[in-house]
Amino acid sequence: MTQAIIFDMDGTLFQTDKILEVSLDDVFSRLRSLNKWNTDTPIDQYRKILGVPLPKVWEKLLPQHSDEERAKVDAYFLERLIENIRSGKGALYPNVKEVFRYLKENNYSIYIASNGLTDYLNTIVSYYHLDRWVTETFSIQQIQSLNKSDLVHRIVKKYGITTGAVVGDRLSDINAAKDNGLVSIGCNFDFALEDELSQADVVIDDLIDLQSIIHVLNE
């Protein structure tokens, strides 16, 4: 029996808000300099849809721009995110490393399944040395449907996972767990919404809570 814990990244392991605003402002400052945007950076609008795959983000934030312009914005945003991570402006949530260490010591396999892009995720994993515990990191870029449930299914199939949980802060994480026969653990963190968390099997306020509940999740 393979037991696994599959974690979301943004708003679950990584405090995205610490680099989100500055990176997004970099993007829209550039657009303003090119006369392709003339109002404030839509940070509040982005916060409401955080966790949505980036192609859909730009459709929402830049509805009047062409697909080609959105692709350029997407590439520049990724550059700024990575640079801000590498310069130390981001942070993990409290107790990430402690919980990962505990899970590995108790024979759980750890995976990351995120709507973030591959290079962005790999930068976080590398910068914080999470690869000491994480078996593999999966990006929504690997799934044509851009559906989190399909991404989690790929992990389940590849590693023969029979029991475990998906830990995340948004409804897509909760649904991904349920669609794959896993326990859903909702994180009541920065970007979580109460009506979404109410659909999770378990809700935690700190990752350290996993240590006290993990052994009874599959009973």
Side-chain angles (χ1 to χ4, degrees):
M1 181 172 67
T2 301
Q3 296 191 98
I5 309 295
I6 302 171
F7 289 87
D8 176 43
M9 178 66 85
D10 292 314
T12 299
L13 298 177
F14 186 66
Q15 296 187 54
T16 316
D17 57 328
K18 291 187 179 296
I19 62 165
L20 173 66
E21 186 166 349
V22 64
S23 299
L24 199 67
D25 201 41
D26 288 341
V27 168
F28 281 87
S29 292
R30 186 167 185 263
L31 287 174
R32 283 189 286 267
S33 72
L34 297 172
N35 295 317
K36 294 183 177 180
W37 191 261
N38 57 13
T39 59
D40 294 337
T41 300
I43 185 67
D44 290 336
Q45 188 176 355
Y46 187 30
R47 285 181 179 274
K48 293 177 182 177
I49 57 174
L50 185 71
V52 171
L54 278 174
K56 297 186 180 298
V57 166
W58 304 124
E59 288 177 11
K60 290 282 189 181
L61 299 187
L62 301 170
Q64 307 303 320
H65 291 65
S66 67
D67 288 341
E68 181 181 1
E69 288 174 323
R70 289 177 193 154
K72 291 179 180 178
V73 166
D74 193 52
Y76 185 67
F77 185 54
L78 180 60
E79 288 179 18
R80 298 313 306 152
L81 285 170
I82 288 174
E83 177 58 32
N84 285 323
I85 293 166
R86 288 175 175 166
S87 65
K89 294 181 180 178
L92 297 176
Y93 276 96
N95 302 310
V96 168
K97 294 183 178 181
E98 290 82 355
V99 167
F100 277 13
R101 188 178 300 112
Y102 178 85
L103 291 174
K104 292 299 287 187
E105 288 173 353
N106 286 273
N107 300 314
Y108 283 85
S109 297
I110 300 171
Y111 305 90
I112 293 172
S114 171
N115 284 337
L117 301 181
T118 301
D119 289 346
Y120 165 74
L121 297 173
N122 289 341
T123 300
I124 296 172
V125 169
S126 175
Y127 184 83
Y128 294 102
H129 307 293
L130 299 182
D131 46 356
R132 288 177 286 177
W133 304 287
V134 176
T135 300
E136 189 172 351
T137 298
F138 290 78
S139 164
I140 203 68
Q141 279 185 301
Q142 298 170 247
I143 297 294
Q144 188 173 2
S145 68
L146 300 181
N147 186 300
K148 192 68 164 287
S149 294
D150 293 341
L151 187 61
V152 169
H153 179 70
R154 173 171 288 198
I155 302 173
V156 169
K157 184 176 180 180
K158 179 174 180 177
Y159 288 96
I161 295 167
T162 55
T163 58
V166 177
V167 181
D169 66 318
R170 300 307 301 267
L171 185 60
S172 59
D173 304 302
I174 296 168
N175 287 338
K178 294 182 177 180
D179 291 343
N180 287 281
L182 302 174
V183 175
S184 58
I185 302 177
C187 295
N188 188 24
F189 298 170
D190 295 316
F191 302 106
L193 300 175
E194 185 176 351
D195 61 330
E196 295 184 359
L197 289 179
S198 67
Q199 300 181 53
D201 295 316
V202 182
V203 177
I204 59 175
D205 295 313
D206 190 303
L207 287 170
I208 204 69
D209 296 339
L210 287 175
Q211 294 184 188
S212 61
I213 67 172
I214 204 68
H215 300 296
V216 298
L217 288 180
N218 298 296
E219 292 182 359

